[in-house]
Amino acid sequence: MNIDNNGFYGDFGGAFIPEMLYHNVNELKENYLQIIESESFKKEFKYLLKEYVGRPTPLYFAKRLSKKYNTNVFLKREDLNHTGAHKINNTIGQILVAKQMNKKRIIAETGAGQHGVATATVCALMGLQCIVYMGEVDIKRQAPNVARMKMLGAEVRPAVSGSKTLKDATNEAIRDWIANPVDTYYLIGSVVGPHPYPDMVARFQSIISEEMKMQLQEKTGRDYPDRIIACVGGGSNAAGAFYHYLGNEKVELIAVEADGLGITSGETAATTQVGSEGIIHGSKTLLMQNNEGQITEPYSISAGLDYPGVGPLHAHLFKSGRGTFLGATDQEALDAAYELTKLEGIIPALESAHALAALRKIDFNANENVVINLSGRGDKDMETYIRMIQ
Amino acid sequence: MKRIKETFQTKNNILNIYVTAGFPKLNDTVEIVQELARNEVDMIEIGMPFSDPLADGPTIQNSSEIAIKNGITLDFIFNQIIEIRKTVSIPIILMGYYNQVLQYGAKSFFKKAKRVGVDGFIIPDLPLDIYQKKHKTILNDLELDMIFLITPQTTDERIRLLDGQSSGFLYLVSSYAITGSKSDLQQNQIDYFKRIQNLSLKNSKLIGFGISNKESFNTACNYAEGAIIGSAFIKALKDSNNLKESISNFVKGIKG
Ligand SMILES: Cc1ncc(COP(=O)(O)O)c(C=O)c1O
């Protein structure tokens, strides 16, 4: 389940980039493994994850949720990370890579704003300039995160083309990188984009399943669960939660996409259900497009899942059958969020609520161990939650 | 009958003008290209509008968005080229993104393009190794050119590699830039053009990105066989209320 020499997972991945990006992407490709496998890097990465991010995150046995679904439900509490989501695992890793490569200016794209906040945070920590591209639509629906980025010293630049969401913010970030190739590092927020990004980001997020193994061993006497459930926007939290179990067929890997208003409604972000093979943001993968190859505009209530592609790893998990792909509509996600809040006193991010919604769609056996990757907390979504509860 | 090669053999200071198909109105493209040819432009680059054009600046992005809204499709473009070819004999190059080619079906795309009278392609996000593995043979068989880009960051070694694989010409991206984002050529760009001149490459070269007026066109012609103008022309079309007149004025402004 690893990439080949050209950065492909089976049929998916690679680096479909204009020549203007060749030098930068190649520089990263030539250096990333050597950097992240060095002892000094590992030491600093682990140190920051522990002391700054607050890892390891708990693997919490959700008693009342378990009772309701008549199985053993564990929540991997990525919501308890500093800045409130899994995104910071990746930004800590990449900012150390950027420093190693002597880059002075950091650019990023963001959807929900979680990756933008996590990037602005590590830039503040390292004293580096930070520019975050964010779709105009997302700037409106994720206002608290925009304010956080600004307070952290980042410049938030609105992406005004296309659907004005994550896809377009990503286009703008890539164009910035083309125009500023020498001093700039593109700190991508998910397991998407040209090789080596999907592999590098998956490696940084793999801390999630690395901890899970030890925690499950301790709590259940076995270092693997029966199922892992994670939501998929680009796919980074899912990649991290699945990573150390990709080769263990006993573990069912369940990816939950955002159905939006339903997969036949035309208002959806369920890429594997309505998409086909093609190229988006430099990667060959599954994406939502028409028969002319024009990328279509996705829709989800959740800004972090509102993306018309999935990372190449997930395209491969889907095509090979290794992964199970489910979907949750806006309403199902909202219901699941309210349910978790009532039963366990945890307000999840809207993205993570999609993973929780899968609980109702699976026939569990009584004594299964199920891990749900609770990728983030709901603070940023309060406005939506308050509006929708009425 | 390799039109591009012949053009470089017989002409100097080549002016290649880019136009987005289906812009400003869906049916304008045939007339625009005919007018360009009538005004003695040497080569035409027709942009196949794409929803996510990573290598293009705001002007061309915007024109692509409008063209897509106008209802442009690849088959529509092919039909426009059939019309164009009834009167126009200068080389026509299609510029677009690899996903469009893949969804059409690469083989059908190249064959169809050949049949309607296209001479070459610029597909910026088509990786060199994939071109070699999957498409080079058919392009050679059809006598079609694949034009690769080089940038100020491209190493001499890679330039030679791209020169070896390119046919038609090499597209020299003038600066660290997306299309249309910089004006005037700076000293460091000129140093870069000179570096490439000194490599004595097999292909002819056209300079593109940021060429917008007579002055930058002339400078480009000192270091290459000519230049490509895109965004500046699209702007002229956008502001025009008489296409014929605007096109003639634009070309005279560059070449006259
Ligand atoms: C809390 C949370 N979960 C999930 C996602 C989706 O991203 P990915 O699929 O890369 O984990 C986001 C993205 O913003 C997020 O903020």
Side-chain angles (χ1 to χ4, degrees), chain B residues 23 29 48 74 84 111 113 118 127 129 139 165 186 190 194:
Chain B
F23 174 85
T29 311
M48 306 185 289
L74 292 185
I84 291 167
K111 281 188 176 162
V118 170
D129 60 325
L139 263 79
Q165 296 303 317
Q186 312 285 327
I190 290 173
K194 284 187 181 154

Side-chain angles (χ1 to χ4, degrees), chain A residues 2 9 199 202-203 205-206 209 238-247 313:
Chain A
N2 246 317
Y9 299 93
D199 181 54
R203 284 168 189 261
Q205 292 293 359
S206 71
S209 48
F242 296 166
Y243 197 89
H244 290 286
Y245 300 110
L246 289 169
L313 168 63

Side-chain angles (χ1 to χ4, degrees), chain A residues 45 49 53-55 57 76-94 109-119 122 145 148 166 187-192 200-209 211-212 229-242 302-305 314 349-353 355 372-378 380:
Chain A
F45 183 55
L49 287 184
V53 175
R55 303 202 70 94
T57 58
K76 182 60 176 160
R77 297 292 307 274
E78 293 301 299
D79 60 317
L80 293 178
N81 284 325
H82 179 43
T83 70
H86 68 290
K87 295 284 181 188
I88 196 152
N89 303 328
N90 169 45
T91 61
I92 293 271
Q94 284 197 60
E109 84 298 336
T110 196
Q114 285 305 117
H115 174 61
V117 167
T119 304
V122 296
N145 275 343
R148 289 166 83 196
L166 182 54
L187 205 160
I188 212 165
S190 191
V191 286
V192 300
M200 180 169 65
V201 176
R203 284 168 189 261
F204 291 144
Q205 292 293 359
S206 71
I207 186 72
I208 299 172
S209 48
E211 289 173 4
M212 229 189 257
I229 307 174
C231 68
V232 172
S236 67
N237 88 88
F242 296 166
S302 145
L305 304 183
H314 296 288
L350 264 170
E351 290 78 16
S352 324
I372 296 177
N373 198 36
L374 197 69
S375 57
R377 67 174 91 121
K380 69 186 176 60

Side-chain angles (χ1 to χ4, degrees), chain B residues 206-219:
Chain B
L206 294 183
I207 294 174
F209 287 50
I211 309 298
S212 59
N213 53 26
K214 192 182 178 89
E215 195 192 347
S216 47
F217 178 72
N218 286 342
T219 312

Side-chain angles (χ1 to χ4, degrees), chain A residues 6 8 15-20 22-24 161-162 167-168 171-172 174-175 178-182 276-279 281-282 284 287 289-295, chain B residues 49-56 61 65 68 72-75 98-100 102-103 124-125 127 129-130 133 149-151 153-154 158 162 173 176-178 182 209:
Chain A
N6 297 316
F8 279 84
F16 295 81
I17 49 168
E19 188 63 28
M20 293 86 96
Y22 180 86
H23 179 85
N24 278 6
S161 60
K167 157 178 94 79
D168 312 287
N171 289 338
E172 287 308 318
I174 293 174
R175 290 190 185 109
I178 288 175
N180 302 285
V182 180
S276 54
E277 294 180 19
I279 291 159
H281 296 141
K284 185 155 187 224
L287 64 132
Q289 58 185 328
N290 66 18
N291 55 14
E292 286 280 308
Q294 309 290 356
I295 299 174
Chain B
F50 182 51
S51 56
D52 294 72
L54 283 182
D56 289 307
Q61 276 176 56
E65 222 171 290
I68 292 169
I72 197 75
T73 63
L74 292 185
D75 278 328
Y98 191 38
N99 196 46
Q100 299 174 283
L102 285 181
Q103 301 314 317
D125 61 342
D129 60 325
I130 295 206
K133 251 183 273 166
L149 274 56
I150 60 184
T151 83
Q153 277 190 308
T154 313
R158 185 164 168 83
L162 290 164
V173 176
Y176 301 150
I178 45 181
K182 305 243 164 86
F209 287 50

